Amino acid sequence: MPSYTVTVATGSQWFAGTDDYVYVSLQGTAGCSERHLLDKPFYNDFERGSVDSYDVTVAEDLGEIQLIKIEKRKYWYLDDWYLRYITVKTPIGDYLEFPCYRWITDEKEIVLRNGTAKLPRDDKIQILKQHRRKELEDRQKMYRWKEWHPGFPLSIDAHSHSDLPRDIQFDNEKGVDFILNYSKAMENLYVNRFMHMFQSSWSDFADFEKIFVRISNTISEYVMQHWKEDFMFGYQFLNGCNPVMIKKCTEIPKKFPVTTEMVECSLERNLTLEEEIKQGNVFIVDYEVLSGIDANKTDPCTIQYLTAPICLLYKNLENKIVPIAIQLSQASGPDNPIFFPSDSTYDWLMAKIWVRSSDFHVHQTVTHLLRTHLVCEVFSIAMFRQLPSVHPFFKLLVPHMRFTIAINTKAREQLICECGLFDKANATGGGGHVQMVQRAMKDLTYNSLCFPEAIKARGMDSKEDIPYYFYRDDGIKVWEAIRSFVEEVIGIYYESDEVVCEDVELQAFVKDVYVYGMKGNKTSGFPKTIKTREKLSEYLTVVIFTASGQHAAVNFGQYDWCSWIPNSPPTMRCPPPTEKGTVTIEKIVETLPDRGRSCWHLGAVWALSQFQENELFLGTYPDEHFVEKPVKLAMEKFRKKLDEIVSFIAERNKNKKLPYYYFSPDRIPNSVAV
């Protein structure tokens, strides 16, 4: 009688094992085996991290094994079981791999198929077609679209983390409990002692040092020492937390009437402002998205303020980007003066602080929340709804969607919800952040997510003209490495553009992103279909790069750049000045956040800058969804390229007072998970 050896690998997560009854049955081209009991409760099999093997004898040869069914039945109480994979050794000595990497909950069963990736056209046998179709039908019932707020990209239909399908929940929900993490952060940063003075002002800038944690040789300490300098202000537009706002200025906007006479003391080449613009030496940052946004009114005891400044910057003879003019709101007029470096020290400093505060709000809500978290949730939901686990792009993308839906759901539950933690410290809390996302959606285009195109669209692509834009330089390296890897994978499964067009599951995935995630907005430029391998490689690169590199670049520097409160105030308690000569050091301190909001802010940027426990970094794929050797070779090549980028960045950063490492692949998690 033929005998098969079935090997079962259990996950290493806490509570991954099971003491329930576990059964297996094999489905082959020549027939189906009987249901075999693999293990009884308390036989010490299927424990956390274990690999257990069993001989399964059948009455007659089953032919080529197509599917494996695993069943779990309750013994005493229901426990979830995380199944990594199953391998089968056939009677003739062949080994077959059946990846799973899923939780089996309640008294459920899972049907797995051979791990070889297949396109829809590759399945000729009816049972495989049915399995493929049923998996998607089941997933589409679990992963439903929902509009959290009008005008937002659609998100998952779940009220809380516990409502999510078990497979996408965090292994340890406490690890991503925002309330718990913020409390821990404030305890670790020794700021709890200030919370009883919640609404009281600090005495002076030095007073902020009482809550500032010095960590030797960090960027945050350098920021504290140099934050008032124009160089530091300008540098952050290139390599700080929000390096996506600065644009090459091609003409001065009418709403921002700066003239040569106003800024001539800042121009170093004996040229007019117009001539400097033509030579590419002038840059602009416009926070128009903040215009008219309602400031936080959740605390009746503290009035908070927002504004929408415009900042003009200049590349001096040292190739440093420095500010030369700041207007604190959009409409020019006598009560909205333009501030210059030649103004009084405190006038100029206050203008820069308002820009830094505005930059913080746009970073958190648009650059970070909308353009990484919410966009990647759209990709995640569409992937689960339209790509079965046997599809090569499910295997390719699923590591980059890890925990994204879960972290966003947790954020909607605790962080950015009404009366959530976001309201405690931020001037855009209480609904302003919702208005900002709704407004920023018009600028959320497909091309703006294509990293090289986005850089070029802002006129920031020339290394010769802008030599110290490390965000651009390192980002391009990571983008090209991802694209090269994606192209290799595409080449393995798609021999022509026709195969791309015929892949109905791929087209359904792309359509889901456009129709539901982007609500069918034609101006977004998101494709409805993909017809060429070249366009496909770009699209998949956008998905992976946004989830990994882009999120890392705008997330993990938050403590570095925002922990020194005056450099990134989360709220302002006095309105912007409407005339010059009125700002004093006392007025600045009175305007900056009070003690309580400063502490909440510090805890937030600390917590948000930490990697997840057991983080998986770019190119690390411990879950072997792919079993084919050509893909594994492509992964090795990808990792080698990423290692070269790590070495390049480490060498460049040597002896730098301000190292830039946010795009170093060893610091880029695979997915948006924090």
Side-chain angles (χ1 to χ4, degrees):
M1 298 175 71
S3 180
Y4 296 81
T5 301
V6 176
T7 301
V8 183
T10 296
S12 58
Q13 299 95 323
W14 285 105
F15 310 116
T18 182
D19 286 317
D20 290 340
Y21 292 97
V22 176
Y23 300 87
V24 68
S25 53
L26 309 177
Q27 173 75 57
T29 52
C32 183
S33 74
E34 296 180 356
R35 183 171 175 254
H36 289 262
L37 176 64
L38 294 186
D39 184 53
K40 295 180 180 178
F42 304 112
Y43 271 48
N44 296 323
D45 285 359
F46 306 123
E47 293 188 332
R48 182 167 69 96
S50 68
V51 178
D52 304 296
S53 295
Y54 309 90
D55 289 329
V56 175
T57 302
V58 298
E60 55 187 25
D61 183 57
L62 301 176
E64 184 180 343
I65 302 298
Q66 303 289 332
L67 302 171
I68 286 185
K69 181 191 290 185
I70 290 286
E71 302 175 62
K72 184 172 76 70
R73 301 300 173 197
K74 182 176 73 171
Y75 169 66
W76 185 251
Y77 63 91
L78 290 172
D79 58 351
D80 298 344
W81 175 38
Y82 189 83
L83 174 59
R84 291 168 58 213
Y85 63 82
I86 294 176
T87 62
V88 175
K89 182 182 178 183
T90 69
I92 61 173
D94 291 340
Y95 281 88
L96 304 174
E97 298 179 56
F98 294 81
C100 182
Y101 303 105
R102 281 183 273 167
W103 289 92
I104 304 178
T105 60
D106 303 327
E107 292 192 283
K108 295 282 182 68
E109 61 185 41
I110 283 184
V111 180
L112 305 176
R113 60 179 290 175
N114 187 302
T116 304
K118 299 287 186 183
L119 300 178
R121 69 170 192 164
D122 297 328
D123 282 343
K124 310 298 183 186
I125 301 173
Q126 191 62 29
I127 191 173
L128 296 181
K129 291 181 180 180
Q130 290 174 348
H131 177 267
R132 195 173 195 127
R133 186 166 57 248
K134 185 176 187 307
E135 181 182 12
L136 289 182
E137 288 172 354
D138 291 344
R139 289 234 213 101
Q140 286 165 12
K141 292 174 185 175
M142 289 190 292
Y143 296 87
R144 302 175 304 277
W145 295 104
K146 180 182 179 181
E147 185 178 65
W148 187 55
H149 279 295
F152 273 50
L154 295 194
S155 51
I156 195 73
D157 184 6
H159 293 292
S160 66
H161 180 268
S162 59
D163 292 338
L164 296 172
R166 183 68 179 90
D167 287 329
I168 62 169
Q169 291 182 25
F170 283 103
D171 299 328
N172 176 14
E173 190 179 348
K174 285 186 178 179
V176 289
D177 187 300
F178 287 108
I179 295 172
L180 184 64
N181 286 349
Y182 279 33
S183 301
K184 266 189 208 170
M186 287 192 286
E187 184 178 332
N188 292 338
L189 297 170
Y190 306 107
V191 297
N192 278 334
R193 65 189 186 279
F194 297 106
M195 292 302 289
H196 70 282
M197 302 179 287
F198 195 88
Q199 290 166 332
S200 61
S201 295
W202 301 94
S203 303
D204 51 33
F205 291 138
D207 208 15
F208 282 98
E209 292 190 46
K210 292 179 180 178
I211 65 163
F212 183 77
V213 179
R214 285 184 176 81
I215 304 172
S216 182
N217 297 322
T218 61
I219 291 172
S220 57
E221 188 167 349
Y222 192 89
V223 171
M224 182 195 72
Q225 295 165 351
H226 299 276
W227 71 282
K228 295 180 185 178
E229 298 171 20
D230 287 354
F231 153 72
M232 175 59 75
F233 179 88
Y235 180 86
Q236 292 179 74
F237 289 112
L238 297 178
N239 301 310
C241 250
N242 195 28
V244 302
M245 296 293 292
I246 188 169
K247 299 178 181 180
K248 184 75 69 70
C249 182
T250 56
E251 63 177 343
I252 301 295
K254 290 182 180 179
K255 63 182 180 180
F256 188 31
V258 181
T259 65
T260 299
E261 291 71 30
M262 293 175 176
V263 295
E264 60 184 348
C265 63
S266 297
L267 307 181
E268 299 181 355
R269 296 177 177 85
N270 294 318
L271 301 173
T272 66
L273 180 58
E274 289 72 23
E275 289 169 338
E276 293 277 18
I277 288 172
K278 286 180 182 176
Q279 288 201 6
N281 298 323
V282 182
F283 305 85
I284 192 166
V285 180
D286 189 345
Y287 295 95
E288 186 177 11
V289 70
L290 278 165
S291 182
I293 298 297
D294 294 330
N296 194 336
K297 295 182 178 65
T298 58
D299 180 1
C301 298
T302 303
I303 301 175
Q304 301 178 58
Y305 295 89
L306 292 168
T307 191
I310 312 171
C311 181
L312 204 65
L313 299 118
Y314 175 67
K315 184 182 71 173
N316 65 22
L317 291 176
E318 294 180 329
N319 280 327
K320 292 180 178 178
I321 305 291
V322 293
I324 60 173
I326 294 172
Q327 181 175 287
L328 292 182
S329 59
Q330 293 288 302
S332 63
D335 59 349
N336 184 25
I338 300 175
F339 293 91
F340 307 103
S342 55
D343 290 334
S344 73
T345 299
Y346 292 134
D347 276 356
W348 183 235
L349 183 59
M350 177 69 101
K352 290 191 292 182
I353 290 173
W354 269 106
V355 172
R356 292 297 312 139
S357 182
S358 300
D359 192 76
F360 173 80
H361 296 308
V362 173
H363 164 261
Q364 287 288 10
T365 302
V366 180
T367 307
H368 183 210
L369 173 63
L370 172 61
R371 299 181 69 87
T372 62
H373 278 261
L374 300 185
V375 166
C376 288
E377 183 172 3
V378 166
F379 292 141
S380 297
I381 298 170
M383 179 197 73
F384 281 113
R385 286 175 55 82
Q386 303 299 347
L387 298 178
S389 54
V390 73
H391 196 287
F393 294 152
F394 179 87
K395 295 172 182 285
L396 177 70
L397 296 180
V398 70
H400 302 287
M401 304 295 112
R402 178 175 180 255
F403 297 147
T404 298
I405 298 174
I407 194 69
N408 286 3
T409 302
K410 200 71 181 172
R412 286 187 287 268
E413 192 180 349
Q414 292 184 331
L415 185 61
I416 57 175
C417 57
E418 188 175 352
C419 302
L421 290 174
F422 198 81
D423 291 353
K424 288 186 179 293
N426 295 307
T428 50
H433 59 300
V434 172
Q435 296 172 344
M436 285 179 68
V437 169
Q438 291 166 335
R439 184 174 296 176
M441 277 295 289
K442 68 178 174 56
D443 296 319
L444 177 59
T445 64
Y446 174 77
N447 280 345
S448 70
L449 296 179
C450 295
F451 190 79
E453 293 298 319
I455 296 289
K456 191 174 181 180
R458 292 189 285 114
M460 301 294 292
D461 49 316
S462 173
K463 290 185 181 181
E464 185 178 348
D465 292 343
I466 312 160
Y468 303 118
Y469 197 9
F470 304 127
Y471 165 79
R472 171 201 62 204
D473 299 342
D474 297 354
I476 290 290
K477 289 179 185 295
V478 173
W479 171 276
E480 292 299 337
I482 293 172
R483 180 150 189 171
S484 179
F485 170 52
V486 166
E487 284 174 347
E488 283 202 51
V489 175
I490 290 171
I492 294 168
Y493 300 100
Y494 297 82
E495 66 268 22
S496 67
D497 292 344
E498 287 73 24
V499 181
V500 173
C501 295
E502 293 168 3
D503 186 345
V504 293
E505 291 168 349
L506 165 65
Q507 302 302 336
F509 165 66
V510 173
K511 185 178 179 181
D512 240 31
V513 170
Y514 172 73
V515 171
Y516 295 101
M518 296 301 126
K519 299 184 173 181
N521 179 11
K522 292 181 180 178
T523 60
S524 72
F526 274 80
K528 302 177 192 175
T529 60
I530 289 181
K531 298 180 180 180
T532 66
R533 289 184 294 177
E534 182 180 4
K535 193 67 177 176
L536 177 58
S537 70
E538 179 187 76
Y539 192 92
L540 295 175
T541 302
V542 164
V543 176
I544 296 173
F545 181 85
T546 304
S548 56
Q550 183 62 18
H551 177 257
V554 302
N555 180 73
F556 293 105
Q558 291 188 73
Y559 186 78
D560 289 347
W561 295 101
C562 303
S563 57
W564 178 244
I565 306 291
N567 188 59
S568 287
T571 189
M572 301 286 264
R573 296 178 298 145
C574 295
T578 56
E579 58 181 329
K580 296 187 181 186
T582 62
V583 180
T584 62
I585 180 65
E586 291 78 16
K587 188 65 175 178
I588 293 177
V589 173
E590 184 186 346
T591 302
L592 287 169
D594 54 39
R595 294 170 186 262
R597 288 179 176 83
S598 296
C599 294
W600 273 108
H601 170 79
L602 194 62
V605 297
W606 171 274
L608 292 171
S609 299
Q610 306 306 304
F611 294 118
Q612 283 286 349
E613 187 178 352
N614 302 319
E615 191 68 84
L616 297 176
F617 294 96
L618 187 58
T620 306
Y621 303 119
D623 292 355
E624 296 189 48
H625 291 276
F626 283 107
V627 302
E628 300 93 316
K629 189 174 181 180
V631 183
K632 292 186 176 183
L633 291 174
M635 287 178 175
E636 289 179 18
K637 189 175 175 182
F638 181 39
R639 281 190 288 270
K640 184 178 179 183
K641 183 62 179 175
L642 295 175
D643 289 342
E644 291 172 1
I645 297 172
V646 170
S647 299
F648 169 83
I649 292 174
E651 183 64 28
R652 184 201 60 214
N653 283 339
K654 277 184 180 178
N655 303 318
K656 277 192 178 295
K657 292 178 180 177
L658 280 173
Y660 186 82
Y661 43 69
Y662 306 116
F663 263 126
S664 186
D666 60 342
R667 292 171 177 256
I668 298 176
N670 268 332
S671 62
V672 176
V674 65

